[in-house]
Amino acid sequence: MNKQPAHIGQIPPEQVHAYLHTRPEGLALSEVTERLIHVGKNQFELNDPWKLMRSLGRQFTNFFAVLLFFSAGICFIAHRINPAEDMGLLGWAVFGVAIFNALFGFFQEYRAEKAMEALKQFLPNLVEVCRQNKIDKIAATEIVPGDVIILMEGCKIPADVRIVESESLMVNNSPLTGESAAIRLSSQASDRPLEECQNIGFAGCTVVKGTGRGVVFATGLRTFFGRIANLSQATRSSSSPLEREISHMVRVLTIIACTMGTGFFLYGMLTGKPLWMNLVFMMGIIVANVPEGLLPTLTLALAMGSLRMARKNVLVTSLNAVASLGAVHVVCTDKTGTLTENKLTVTRMINPRSGETLTKEQELELATLAFCTSDVRQAADGLLGDPLDVAMAENLLRLGLGDLTDARRDIICHFAFDVEKRRSAGIARSKGSRFFVVKGAFEAIRPLVSGVEPIGGSAVHDIPLPRQLAESEQIMQQLAAQGLRVITIAYRLISGDEDPDKAMADESAAALEHDLILAGFIGIEDPIRPEVPQAVAKCHGAGIDVIMITGDHPATALAIAAKAGIVAPGDTAHLTGEALNQLTIADLSKQLQQGVRIFARTTPEQKMKIVTALKYMDRVVAMTGDGVNDAPALRAADIGIAMGKQGTDVARESAHLILLDDNFAAIVDGIEEGRTVFENMKKFTSYVLVHNVPEILPYLLYIVLPVPPALNIMQILLIDLGTDIIPSMGLGQEPADSEVMKKRPDKFSQQLLTPKLVMRSYCFLGIIEAIWSLFLFFYVLVSGGWQYGTPLAASSPLYQSATGITLATIILMQIGNLVGRRYEQRSGLDRGLLTNRLLLAGILVQILFSWATLYFQPLQKILRTGPVEPAVYGLAWLGVVLIFGIDYLRKLLFTRGQVC
């Protein structure tokens, strides 16, 4: 009686399909539907019921919210001390504002998060699956037990699978084990525990090398990864630089508010003023210093920026990366697919001895050799595999081969491309013999070559081999200088006393890599994207360096770089991967400072060294990548950029941004959008802080002089949360300035709350608003018969008219401030108000409220304001021209580089 296996890893590979009730050609669609209903979708959901509550809690516990709750408490205390002043109503108003502000912030954050989740649907995780003997790409969530899936380098394993075929297949199990060392997987049965079996691919782990096939035996929460995820808590990400900067700004404003409020409270107590009056005064100072609507507006600006970037084919995985992208000094980019169209086409097949083009028969023979080293799969919508391998297969079809099936049948074994060796290989049979074929970089194959024998030619024995290889290298360099990617093909016959089976079992071609015959060169053209030169020029105009990092030959890299405008034609400055290995970080930094912008024949691991050197130079670095080995460099860069089309799952998960169309021009569009978002954030921060001064100054005068306060708390809250919210949002939606890509990157890596911004807001614009609004306040009082030092009741019609005109003046002057903030050096009117409808709506709201505070009785009752003569209201309108004109004069007087 046969012993039942304890787990699927103990089953021989030829029995796996039957054990899982499937077939090598895959499941039928009816079976897939049935299993999907039975086991559900393949998704890993973290059970985190407190996520929304934690997000809401953060809104109630930030410094601004705490200050508002504190101010409400002061109102309730003051009401207990002196009920006649009716401070309890004000306390409930402030408390309501704190609640509203927290809920509004929570809503904006929730909406932004949902928007990001929706954007990620642009890039579903696709898996190659064999169903009904056809290979197709489907969403990973649709995988079911019994599915036969294709594994290849860079893909994330979507479910727990039993390996049934493998070619140099190696995986990284660090998501489960924490060990970063790659593990080789094979199809052989194992008696070890399931978690230790080297024939099991676990969900969440990544393929770092090779290819293979596996049969799914567990999906979703039934996988090993799913069980762990279901038991774990949601991971809390660390704060980003922008989040820390916003927190810093909030702390600074909070410290200012608390210091001023406490200081003048103590001053009032020392001068003998009543306790309730000092409490009210302290609360007024605090409320006036807190820009209640600032935080939700910041979140909204980032969310809208990410949506605009998505329309430009840039998917943002983190909201804070939107603004960070604007500060980039250097963009390190791949060549293939980013600068070029990734439409690899074989255009030249060359004799390595004469440099002449091969005949059609010779081309077919060389193309067949090249195909022996390629791993290509036929899918319903075309060929799948590495773009270079697909190009080789398409070339073979173009040369007259009717079907790839026969050519694939002759391939005995395939050795996957080795990044370090820069070559791939294969074993094939032809006319009863077995051949070992290699394709790759000439420099990588040259040491293995023992002769040059072109297709259709014969060996030459009277010319020394080094000379023959030197002549071949010269031919290769001429092709590369034309911008072609040059692939070298070499082969040899496997003799009868050799054992290629051992190489296949070891999944290593090392034992066969000797005494190769150089057969020919294949020149591959990959056209540069037409929009790239203009995008590169735009980067240079913005003070951003562009560095190309490629595995191609230096001559190819320099030719493409010259076409793209990265280097000048004729510029030969570059570093190869071999030279890069010899340099220290300090030496590499010197090379970069001296103008090296091209790195050729490099490996993905060397990108990390380049990033480190650039950071050593205090540069903000954006790095592109698409392979599994690019992930460390993407994480190390300030902005990691992955490819959406050709990128691997690992690269996309390591990146801050994903290019949906893999186009370099989209990076430049993203930088422009990032700079615009950062500029807009500074605009509305400056705008919001200006009205703090005319709100604070009346309370300072009230505490030190025998004059009534020009504003009450309700009026301050109307400005902060009523009339200023829509204009702030309008500034956050301002389109890109034509000058934004002509500024140096350093300008976008500053703090939001810079000393210049604070000085301009508080000590210049704020003072103008305060002086004019207070002038009209005292003008109305004196015109009505008030004398200096005479107290006025809050219910006095004269006092209510005076506070009303103060409030209306501040609201109107914010219109002039709003228009002026649109540009740092221009008037703000030259763009036209109609170009930003939200800004125009905000201005209309301000005009409406300025009139309603004075002449609309229901609002008068709430705000305790009264009417004034139309001529006085006209003077309030004069404040718009006053603040706008003086601010524009400042812009004209200062040079562009000195504008504060």
Side-chain angles (χ1 to χ4, degrees), residues 415 418 421 423-425 436 438 447-449 492 498 508-516:
F415 299 98
D418 190 304
K421 292 182 176 181
R423 58 183 180 263
S424 61
F436 174 67
V438 179
L448 312 176
V449 171
R492 75 178 184 85
E498 289 185 286
S508 172
L512 301 173
E513 291 178 326
H514 60 86
D515 297 322
L516 300 180

Side-chain angles (χ1 to χ4, degrees), residues 31 57 550 822:
E31 293 174 303
T550 178
R822 298 183 77 188

Side-chain angles (χ1 to χ4, degrees), residues 57-255:
R58 284 196 301 271
Q59 299 296 330
F60 282 100
T61 54
N62 67 59
F63 283 113
F64 285 175
V66 170
L67 278 180
L68 289 175
F69 286 127
F70 177 70
S71 299
I74 291 175
C75 288
F76 294 137
I77 294 172
H79 181 74
R80 290 291 300 271
I81 297 173
N82 189 356
E85 293 296 324
D86 199 21
M87 294 298 293
L89 179 62
L90 183 57
W92 285 114
V94 174
F95 182 79
V97 166
I99 297 293
F100 170 80
N101 201 44
L103 292 177
F104 182 72
F106 169 74
F107 172 74
Q108 292 295 348
E109 187 175 298
Y110 177 77
R111 193 175 75 160
E113 184 176 323
K114 288 297 181 184
M116 294 305 300
E117 290 178 3
L119 287 174
K120 288 179 181 178
Q121 299 305 312
F122 280 117
L123 284 175
N125 185 15
L126 298 179
V127 183
E128 287 189 27
V129 180
C130 184
R131 288 177 177 173
Q132 295 180 325
N133 208 24
K134 294 181 180 179
I135 296 177
D136 200 3
K137 284 190 173 183
I138 67 168
T141 54
E142 303 299 319
I143 296 293
V144 297
D147 264 327
V148 179
I149 67 173
I150 313 298
L151 301 175
M152 69 196 80
E153 182 178 321
C155 77
K156 176 185 281 188
I157 302 175
D160 287 353
V161 298
R162 169 65 162 86
I163 305 300
V164 292
E165 294 179 22
S166 69
E167 288 184 359
S168 306
L169 185 63
M170 300 187 73
V171 299
N172 184 342
N173 282 346
S174 59
L176 297 181
T177 65
E179 297 291 334
S180 59
I183 298 172
R184 185 180 296 276
L185 297 186
S186 71
S187 61
Q188 300 305 310
S190 173
D191 289 329
R192 305 177 71 176
L194 182 67
E195 294 79 6
E196 299 177 12
C197 279
Q198 294 189 352
N199 56 21
I200 301 295
F202 292 104
C205 300
T206 54
V207 179
V208 297
K209 185 179 178 182
T211 60
R213 285 195 178 208
V215 182
V216 176
F217 65 87
T219 59
L221 297 179
R222 295 176 179 84
T223 64
F224 191 68
F225 178 82
R227 294 196 298 270
I228 295 173
N230 194 41
L231 295 173
S232 64
Q233 294 295 319
T235 302
R236 300 184 187 183
S237 58
S238 58
S239 60
S240 69
L242 183 61
E243 287 173 321
R244 292 193 292 271
E245 170 56 25
I246 292 174
S247 297
H248 168 74
M249 179 179 67
V250 169
R251 285 195 299 272
V252 169
L253 295 177
T254 301
I255 290 171

Side-chain angles (χ1 to χ4, degrees), residues 138-426:
I138 67 168
T141 54
E142 303 299 319
I143 296 293
V144 297
D147 264 327
V148 179
I149 67 173
I150 313 298
L151 301 175
M152 69 196 80
E153 182 178 321
C155 77
K156 176 185 281 188
I157 302 175
D160 287 353
V161 298
R162 169 65 162 86
I163 305 300
V164 292
E165 294 179 22
S166 69
E167 288 184 359
S168 306
L169 185 63
M170 300 187 73
V171 299
N172 184 342
N173 282 346
S174 59
L176 297 181
T177 65
E179 297 291 334
S180 59
I183 298 172
R184 185 180 296 276
L185 297 186
S186 71
S187 61
Q188 300 305 310
S190 173
D191 289 329
R192 305 177 71 176
L194 182 67
E195 294 79 6
E196 299 177 12
C197 279
Q198 294 189 352
N199 56 21
I200 301 295
F202 292 104
C205 300
T206 54
V207 179
V208 297
K209 185 179 178 182
T211 60
R213 285 195 178 208
V215 182
V216 176
F217 65 87
T219 59
L221 297 179
R222 295 176 179 84
T223 64
F224 191 68
F225 178 82
R227 294 196 298 270
I228 295 173
N230 194 41
L231 295 173
S232 64
Q233 294 295 319
T235 302
R236 300 184 187 183
S237 58
S238 58
S239 60
S240 69
L242 183 61
E243 287 173 321
R244 292 193 292 271
E245 170 56 25
I246 292 174
S247 297
H248 168 74
M249 179 179 67
V250 169
R251 285 195 299 272
V252 169
L253 295 177
T254 301
I255 290 171
I256 292 174
C258 292
T259 301
M260 292 183 66
T262 304
F264 283 96
F265 172 80
L266 295 175
Y267 175 83
M269 295 299 294
L270 291 174
T271 54
K273 294 186 181 295
L275 175 61
W276 73 269
M277 184 182 295
N278 291 321
L279 288 173
V280 171
F281 170 71
M282 179 170 67
M283 185 202 63
I285 289 289
I286 290 174
V287 172
N289 268 291
V290 175
E292 289 83 1
L294 183 59
L295 294 183
T297 308
L298 284 169
T299 303
L300 180 62
L302 290 172
M304 295 306 295
S306 69
L307 291 171
R308 288 195 299 271
M309 289 174 76
R311 288 195 287 269
K312 296 178 179 179
N313 289 317
V314 180
L315 174 60
V316 182
T317 61
S318 167
L319 277 184
N320 298 304
V322 176
S324 302
L325 188 59
V328 165
H329 293 96
V330 182
V331 177
C332 298
T333 177
D334 295 314
K335 178 183 72 69
T336 303
T338 308
L339 297 176
T340 62
E341 296 181 356
N342 200 27
K343 295 178 180 177
L344 303 184
T345 306
V346 175
T347 58
R348 304 286 301 277
M349 302 184 77
I350 300 297
N351 184 314
R353 182 182 296 150
S354 65
E356 297 175 351
T357 301
L358 300 178
T359 65
K360 186 170 183 180
E361 292 75 14
Q362 292 169 344
E363 286 185 342
L364 180 60
E365 189 174 345
L366 184 62
T368 303
L369 284 175
F371 182 71
C372 294
T373 68
S374 304
D375 182 20
V376 178
R377 298 166 298 284
Q378 182 73 53
D381 55 350
L383 298 174
L384 298 175
D386 180 85
L388 177 60
D389 289 350
V390 171
M392 293 298 178
E394 290 174 341
N395 180 53
L396 192 57
L397 293 171
R398 181 179 60 82
L399 290 171
L401 187 71
D403 190 355
L404 293 177
T405 305
D406 292 337
R408 191 181 289 112
R409 192 179 295 119
D410 292 333
I411 299 175
I412 301 171
C413 176
H414 172 257
F415 299 98
F417 179 78
D418 190 304
V419 174
E420 293 182 359
K421 292 182 176 181
R422 287 181 289 164
R423 58 183 180 263
S424 61

Side-chain angles (χ1 to χ4, degrees), residues 569-678:
D571 188 348
T572 59
H574 70 278
L575 283 176
T576 62
E578 185 178 353
L580 193 58
N581 285 335
Q582 308 303 318
L583 298 176
T584 64
I585 295 298
D587 291 337
L588 179 54
S589 299
K590 290 179 182 178
Q591 293 286 333
L592 289 164
Q593 289 171 346
Q594 292 169 7
V596 173
R597 295 294 176 266
I598 306 301
F599 292 87
R601 291 299 193 218
T602 56
T603 63
E605 290 81 0
Q606 289 172 328
K607 286 185 175 182
M608 187 73 176
K609 190 171 186 177
I610 297 170
V611 170
T612 304
L614 289 168
K615 286 196 166 186
Y616 179 79
M617 299 164 61
D618 292 327
R619 298 291 192 270
V620 179
V621 185
M623 172 68 77
T624 69
D626 56 11
V628 62
N629 293 330
D630 290 328
L634 293 178
R635 293 192 190 99
D638 298 281
I639 298 291
I641 305 172
M643 304 298 110
K645 287 185 177 179
Q646 64 181 3
T648 61
D649 299 334
V650 183
R652 289 199 291 260
E653 290 188 356
S654 302
H656 305 89
L657 303 175
I658 300 172
L659 302 184
L660 299 178
D661 60 356
D662 298 356
N663 194 339
F664 178 84
I667 301 176
V668 184
D669 290 339
I671 291 174
E672 183 174 10
E673 188 61 50
R675 289 187 169 195
T676 300
V677 168
F678 187 81

Side-chain angles (χ1 to χ4, degrees), residues 778-827:
F778 287 113
Y779 175 80
V780 170
L781 286 182
V782 172
S783 299
W786 175 79
Q787 293 184 349
Y788 179 74
T790 306
L792 280 174
S795 58
S796 166
L798 177 61
Y799 175 66
Q800 291 184 350
S801 294
T803 59
I805 194 60
T806 306
L807 176 60
T809 302
I810 294 172
I811 292 174
L812 289 173
M813 291 186 77
Q814 280 292 87
I815 296 176
N817 176 33
L818 177 69
V819 176
R821 298 289 64 72
R822 298 183 77 188
Y823 285 109
E824 190 173 292
Q825 299 159 356
R826 286 150 56 187
S827 70

